[in-house]
Amino acid sequence: MSAVEDPPTSAAADAKPMRTAAAESLRRLLQRPLASYYLVLGSAGLLLVLGMIMVFSASSVMSRVQFGYPYYFFARQLAWVIVALPFAWIASRMPARLIRRFGLPMLVVAAMLLALTFVPGLGVTRGGNTNWLDLGGPFLIQPSEPAKLALIIWGAGMFALKGRLLTQWKHLMIPFVPVAGAIVALTIGQHDLGTALVLMAIVLTLLWVVGVPTWLFGLALGVVGVVGAYFVTASENRMSRVVSFLDPFSDFSGTGYQAANSIYAFATGGWWGSGLGASRLKWGQLPEAHTDFIFSILGEELGLPGALMVLGLFFTLGFAGIRIAMRTTDTFTRLAAAGITGWLIVQAIINLGSVLVVFPVIGVPLPLVSYGGASMVVVIVAVGILMALAKEEPGAREALAARKQARRERRQLRRTRG
């Protein structure tokens, strides 16, 4: 009997050093000064590439029906990405002190754009939300998207400026909470509760990281909960969404239509998916298939492996952002990194929760994956800023300088040999 049991025991004994070696290798990798920088770049880059593929797949049928060829939405998405990447590259090379200076101008511009949506003829209503601004021609933007990033950069800079005054609770709240409340109020005035919830999450993240007392944070959390509950119950449409998500099939042709078809998409794909481009639900059955519900099409076509890959990439991005915030000694860097990370991850959770019918359908895009113009540009620039903040970690700039010097020396050596 012992002879039969020996091989598994030996295999288990061999596997343990391998697991230990893998864990040690991972630990050494994470100890490198530029680990966070490359984790942000790699995870965000892969999400962006995967998003471009899925936008083409999810929108190809609608593009052909509406515009006569299958590349319309993909081409527009590609154009926005091409516009955003140079700005993200510039942002990634800025020092934190320079990024900090843009906070107030960004917030002022964002607030003005939000206010302009209430001007007749400029504000554009879509899906019941007047959250778009018509600047003429093809320039149609959603001001609440840059407002998210502006609030983070301004808030982080303002808290960093106060320094030791933050030991007094009034300096923790003023002027940040009134200003943030005004931005949230403008967004709620557009009837865009989904974006307002993301903005509230940003406010709570910054307050938590800056170190507000527990009782004060609890009060802020309670206020957010009460405000959210009020605006849900004040709208018959929102209340019907909340009720229907508990059982979408009870009102399949009405409020539960989108959530029920999202469930059908995952069921149709099964464990391994129907194959890239082979979705059935994108043929007009699932509304917003290329925007808010793109994860449903991804799950249908790529199955559980594709869905887990997306979740893993967002986990990696969140881990890298938290790591940047924890390893830096600069207050602005810590708050800005935490704010950007909190924004992207909370928005991803809200989107995925809506798609998986864990939450009511709220209507926010999946960062870096969903189709979108202003939202895509702002998120890509935010990733560039997060990469810049990663350079503020101990030893990161020295490591980058050493790599640049090594590349110059290799080029010089090749020229000499040539």
Side-chain angles (χ1 to χ4, degrees):
M1 189 70 177
S2 61
V4 176
E5 293 177 353
D6 282 341
T9 304
S10 177
D14 291 340
K16 186 175 180 180
M18 292 176 62
R19 289 196 298 267
T20 304
E24 181 63 24
S25 298
L26 179 61
R27 187 183 66 82
R28 286 199 300 266
L29 284 172
L30 292 178
Q31 283 181 340
R32 295 184 177 181
L34 293 173
S36 300
Y37 178 88
Y38 287 113
L39 285 174
V40 171
L41 177 62
S43 58
L46 288 172
L47 282 169
L48 184 60
V49 171
L50 182 62
M52 292 298 300
I53 294 171
M54 291 312 306
V55 164
F56 173 66
S57 178
S59 66
S60 57
V61 174
M62 185 170 61
S63 293
R64 183 178 288 278
V65 170
Q66 294 185 3
F67 303 100
Y69 66 106
Y71 307 105
Y72 177 81
F73 290 105
F74 173 79
R76 287 176 65 90
Q77 183 82 332
L78 182 60
W80 284 113
V81 171
I82 291 173
V83 168
L85 286 177
F87 290 101
W89 180 81
I90 293 171
S92 70
R93 291 177 169 265
M94 287 183 179
R97 64 180 182 275
L98 182 57
I99 295 173
R100 179 174 166 179
R101 294 177 183 174
F102 285 95
L104 184 57
M106 288 171 61
L107 188 69
V108 171
V109 172
M112 291 174 60
L113 292 175
L114 281 170
L116 286 175
T117 60
F118 295 91
V119 177
L122 293 179
V124 177
T125 301
R126 287 186 174 183
N129 301 333
T130 312
N131 55 352
W132 293 87
L133 187 62
D134 188 358
L135 299 180
F139 298 104
L140 191 68
I141 67 169
Q142 192 173 1
S144 56
E145 294 300 325
K148 298 172 186 174
L149 183 58
L151 184 61
I152 292 169
I153 301 302
W154 172 78
M158 186 271 301
F159 283 131
L161 184 64
K162 288 198 171 189
R164 294 182 180 179
L165 292 175
L166 295 178
T167 56
Q168 305 173 37
W169 72 267
K170 63 180 181 180
H171 286 287
L172 288 168
M173 305 298 285
I174 301 172
F176 177 71
V177 171
V179 172
I183 298 296
V184 172
L186 286 170
T187 307
I188 291 176
Q190 299 172 336
H191 307 289
D192 189 356
L193 185 59
T195 301
L197 289 174
V198 176
L199 286 166
M200 292 177 192
I202 290 171
V203 172
L204 291 175
T205 299
L206 290 176
L207 289 176
W208 176 262
V209 175
V210 81
V212 298
T214 304
W215 70 269
L216 197 55
F217 183 81
L219 179 62
L221 188 61
V223 170
V224 168
V226 169
V227 170
Y230 170 77
F231 282 102
V232 167
T233 55
S235 169
E236 184 177 345
N237 180 47
R238 295 191 190 110
M239 274 300 297
S240 62
R241 288 186 188 182
V242 171
V243 173
S244 67
F245 105 94
L246 298 172
D247 184 10
F249 297 96
S250 63
D251 187 16
F252 181 82
S253 60
T255 56
Y257 182 79
Q258 203 166 19
N261 278 292
S262 179
I263 294 173
Y264 277 140
F266 288 104
T268 302
W271 289 103
W272 304 106
S274 58
L276 188 62
S279 167
R280 299 178 185 178
L281 275 294
K282 70 182 181 183
W283 289 76
Q285 191 170 341
L286 178 63
E288 308 297 336
H290 62 306
T291 54
D292 298 347
F293 278 75
I294 195 168
F295 188 70
S296 302
I297 304 301
L298 186 147
E300 181 186 2
E301 294 188 351
L302 303 183
L304 182 62
L308 290 178
M309 179 170 61
V310 171
L311 294 177
L313 289 172
F314 273 111
F315 175 83
T316 302
L317 182 60
F319 169 78
I322 294 171
R323 188 173 186 270
I324 294 167
M326 293 181 65
R327 285 169 58 90
T328 185
T329 57
D330 178 62
T331 302
F332 170 79
T333 300
R334 182 174 70 255
L335 290 169
I340 292 173
T341 305
W343 157 33
L344 297 180
I345 299 306
V346 167
Q347 184 165 319
I349 290 172
I350 292 174
N351 176 273
L352 296 174
S354 298
V355 168
L356 296 170
V357 200
V358 177
F359 305 144
V361 176
I362 295 177
V364 294
L366 185 60
L368 295 166
V369 180
S370 293
Y371 172 82
S375 61
M376 179 60 73
V377 172
V378 174
V379 168
I380 291 176
V381 172
V383 170
I385 292 175
L386 196 57
M387 290 171 61
L389 299 175
K391 297 177 185 178
E392 301 298 322
E393 288 189 24
R397 292 197 177 276
E398 292 79 4
L400 280 173
R403 291 194 177 191
K404 291 178 182 178
Q405 181 62 29
R407 284 197 296 267
R408 283 195 294 266
E409 290 176 356
R410 285 196 296 269
R411 286 196 296 267
Q412 184 63 33
L413 182 60
R414 284 196 294 268
R415 293 194 195 99
T416 303
R417 289 178 176 177

